[in-house]
């Protein structure tokens, strides 16, 4: 989820142009990365890079066609002062081939990242700068963690050789008219929308591998599409009467100060919102309709719940004639057999958000409903990891020809 996926849009910045060129469509797959620098101690504060990597060996070369072991890619994180930006930094601390060289945060420009997020003070990172002042000459790939509505023009004007994973909603909807309807303004980079690849990793792996611009999925769409897409493709469930009740931790609303997110507004309760018009609805329906090869309409209610991170989606579906809940379970199990990050729980075990915190996992299970012919599917993810930054790293790994689990083998934090 981008940093404001559950909140309001920030005003877009128009006309950003970089001296290194504009983002085009002539990029060829790139590779060649050098290993991370050894730990450093700065003058004013401890600055140790927590990494499993050794000293740098080779410089990135966009002319090479395959990523080699022991090489490095230089990363820019745009919008680094939000929750998804901080998660990118946390995950990359353990990545042997990605090194952050540029970090932007307009309101925090000039500050050290460790002063914005003290829990990451040990990382050796560049100072935060405004987007307009960012120098992309020392960058090979970009994680864009800016709010929706601010991203299209910025990505359009980036140097064309960069590979980009955008965590906002700005490139998720293929239909630019549908985007305008749901987000309240015309798409500002329609030529790039044609190029963007939707980044639901386990479903669209081959397309992502060859992409230059990936639209990272939203958190709710990730938790919902991972179980439903395989079942719809196999025609195991009916396309009508799909009802989804989903709950998100408060980090899903972003880091900006909002009255609705004050402690007294959300503590000791649950808060339904966006009941008739949540902006993730068209994204979910787009993916399910692709799987069905026909239009799918869902009933979706999101809820904000008083916890920091985590997401649970409960899906109520009607099974096709002759299909049982056991058939749904077996198909999902076979679909995701061998997948590292998507797991079917055994027997009657219920997925819980506390069992995926801090990890890139999606846990799910299928239960028979007491109403004949219906089933209940529950999936859980960490909204900031598999629902945002973790899936973004997984996607960039694929784009760079690296094993997609690189830097993502954090186990869930429990208790």
């Amino acid at each position: 989820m981008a940093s404001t996926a559950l909140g309001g849009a920030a005003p877009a910045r128009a006309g950003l142009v970089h001296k290194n060129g504009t983002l085009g469509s002539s990029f060829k797959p790139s590779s060649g990365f050098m290993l991370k620098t050894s730990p450093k101690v700065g003058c004013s504060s401890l600055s140790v890079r927590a990494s499993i990597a050794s000293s740098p060996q080779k410089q990135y070369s966009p002319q090479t066609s395959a990523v080699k072991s022991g090489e490095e890619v230089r990363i820019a994180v745009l919008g680094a002062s939000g929750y998804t930006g901080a998660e990118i930094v946390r995950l990359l601390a353990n990545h042997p081939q990605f090194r952050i060289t540029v970090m932007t945060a307009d309101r925090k420009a000039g500050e050290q990242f460790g002063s914005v997020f003290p829990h990451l003070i040990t990382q050796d990172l560049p100072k935060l700068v405004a987007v307009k002042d960012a120098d992309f000459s020392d960058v090979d790939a970009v994680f864009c963690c800016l709010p929706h509505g601010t991203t299209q023009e910025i990505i359009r004007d980036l140097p064309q050789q960069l590979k980009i994973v955008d965590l906002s909603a700005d490139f998720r909807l293929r239909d630019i008219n549908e985007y305008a309807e749901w987000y309240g303004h015309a798409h500002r980079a329609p030529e790039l929308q044609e190029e963007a690849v939707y980044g639901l990793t386990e479903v669209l792996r081959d397309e992502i591998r060859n992409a230059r611009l990936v639209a990272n999925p939203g958190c709710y769409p990730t938790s919902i599409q991972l179980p439903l897409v395989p079942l719809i493709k196999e025609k195991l469930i009916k396309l009508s009467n799909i009802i989804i009740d989903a709950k998100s931790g408060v980090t899903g609303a972003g880091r900006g100060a909002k009255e609705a997110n004050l402690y007294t507004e959300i503590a000791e309760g649950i808060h339904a919102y966006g009941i008739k018009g949540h902006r993730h609805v068209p994204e979910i329906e787009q993916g399910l309709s692709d799987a069905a090869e026909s239009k799918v309409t869902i009933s979706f209610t999101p809820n904000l719940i008083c916890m920091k991170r985590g997401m649970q989606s409960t899906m109520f579906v009607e099974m096709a004639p002759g299909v049982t809940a056991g058939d749904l379970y077996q198909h999902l199990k076979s679909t995701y057999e061998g997948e590292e990050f998507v797991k079917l729980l055994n027997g009657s075990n219920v997925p819980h958000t506390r069992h995926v915190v801090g990890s890139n996992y999606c846990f799910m299970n299928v239960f028979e409903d007491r109403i004949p012919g219906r089933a209940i599917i529950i999936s859980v993810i960490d909204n900031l990891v598999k629902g945002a930054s973790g899936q973004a790293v997984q996607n960039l790994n694929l784009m760079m020809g690296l094993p997609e689990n690189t830097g993502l083998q954090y186990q869930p934090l429990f208790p």
Side-chain angles (χ1 to χ4, degrees):
M1 167 180 317
S3 58
T4 58
L6 302 182
R13 296 178 183 86
L16 179 66
V17 179
H18 294 285
K19 61 186 178 184
N20 296 319
T22 58
L23 192 63
S25 58
S26 59
F27 181 80
K28 298 183 183 300
S30 59
S31 62
F33 313 98
M34 68 182 179
L35 281 173
K36 285 180 173 161
T37 58
S38 55
K40 297 178 182 178
V41 176
C43 298
S44 58
S45 64
L46 181 65
S47 182
V48 179
R49 189 171 191 85
S51 175
I52 58 174
S54 56
S55 300
Q57 298 297 319
K58 292 183 180 180
Q59 179 68 42
Y60 169 81
S61 172
Q63 282 72 43
T64 55
S65 58
V67 175
K68 299 175 182 177
S69 177
E71 296 178 333
E72 181 188 76
V73 60
R74 300 162 297 177
I75 299 292
V77 181
L78 309 186
S81 62
Y83 290 135
T84 56
E87 277 296 281
I88 292 287
V89 175
R90 182 180 73 87
L91 296 171
L92 296 194
N94 206 37
H95 197 296
Q97 294 182 248
F98 289 175
R99 178 172 64 90
I100 298 171
T101 56
V102 171
M103 304 177 77
T104 78
D106 286 6
R107 289 177 295 175
K108 303 289 185 180
E111 295 187 33
Q112 295 287 351
F113 188 75
S115 68
V116 179
F117 288 106
H119 70 295
L120 294 168
I121 197 170
T122 58
Q123 300 306 294
D124 181 16
L125 298 164
K127 275 189 176 183
L128 297 166
V129 298
V131 173
K132 65 181 179 60
D133 297 325
D135 180 3
F136 292 94
S137 63
D138 191 32
V139 171
D140 306 309
V142 174
F143 290 110
C144 189
C145 305
L146 296 165
H148 67 260
T150 68
T151 298
Q152 291 157 358
E153 291 166 307
I154 289 174
I155 289 181
R156 182 193 63 198
D157 295 331
L158 288 176
Q160 63 179 351
Q161 75 273 15
L162 301 180
K163 288 199 173 185
I164 301 159
V165 179
D166 178 30
L167 282 76
S168 82
D170 278 11
F171 293 98
R172 293 176 189 160
L173 301 181
R174 291 193 301 270
D175 186 338
I176 60 173
N177 295 320
E178 189 171 37
Y179 175 88
E181 177 186 347
W182 284 87
Y183 287 89
H185 64 85
H187 201 290
R188 298 183 177 105
E191 70 284 358
L192 283 185
Q193 185 59 64
E194 296 178 5
E195 179 186 356
V197 169
Y198 188 67
L200 190 62
T201 318
E202 284 79 11
V203 174
L204 295 165
R205 184 172 277 121
D206 291 340
E207 291 88 341
I208 295 163
R209 186 177 285 113
N210 297 315
R212 182 177 65 91
L213 169 60
V214 166
N216 213 60
C219 48
Y220 288 127
T222 295
S223 66
I224 292 164
Q225 290 179 91
L226 285 174
L228 291 189
V229 163
L231 301 180
I232 289 175
K233 281 185 176 180
E234 198 64 17
K235 298 180 170 57
L236 295 176
I237 62 174
K238 294 184 178 180
L239 303 182
S240 59
N241 299 320
I242 297 175
I243 301 169
I244 304 165
D245 176 81
K247 300 173 178 66
S248 174
V250 182
T251 50
R255 204 182 188 204
K258 307 177 188 75
E259 180 180 315
N261 298 339
L262 294 173
Y263 177 79
T264 51
E265 303 291 332
I266 61 170
E268 302 177 19
I270 186 168
H271 176 71
Y273 69 101
I275 296 170
K276 292 181 63 177
H278 192 280
R279 287 166 168 172
H280 282 176
V281 167
E283 182 183 343
I284 296 166
E285 292 183 345
Q286 174 180 266
L288 300 186
S289 298
D290 287 348
E293 298 181 340
S294 64
K295 178 63 178 173
V296 176
T297 303
I298 61 170
S299 178
F300 173 67
T301 304
N303 302 269
L304 199 62
I305 194 165
C306 189
M307 60 184 182
K308 290 184 291 186
R309 59 165 82 204
M311 176 165 287
Q312 175 181 305
S313 291
T314 304
M315 292 148 273
F316 306 88
V317 299
E318 186 174 354
M319 294 176 285
V323 174
T324 67
D327 295 331
L328 303 188
Y329 179 90
Q330 288 301 324
H331 183 66
L332 288 173
K333 188 173 182 180
S334 64
T335 297
Y336 291 117
E337 188 174 6
E339 289 287 353
E340 180 159 358
F341 297 121
V342 182
K343 300 296 181 184
L344 273 290
L345 301 189
N346 295 322
S348 60
N349 288 327
V350 179
H352 295 298
T353 57
R354 63 180 178 271
H355 295 151
V356 295
V357 170
S359 77
N360 198 49
Y361 293 113
C362 174
F363 290 171
M364 64 179 73
N365 208 344
V366 181
F367 303 91
E368 186 176 6
D369 199 334
R370 59 184 293 271
I371 301 175
R374 295 190 67 88
I376 301 169
I377 305 164
I378 299 175
S379 72
V380 295
I381 60 173
D382 185 320
N383 59 293
L384 290 179
V385 189
K386 187 60 173 171
S389 303
Q391 188 160 217
V393 172
Q394 192 177 354
N395 283 331
L396 189 58
N397 281 336
L398 271 174
M399 296 162 74
M400 293 299 181
L402 295 169
E404 64 187 64
N405 64 356
T406 307
L408 290 173
Q409 294 175 311
Y410 291 88
Q411 292 304 294
L413 182 63
F414 179 83

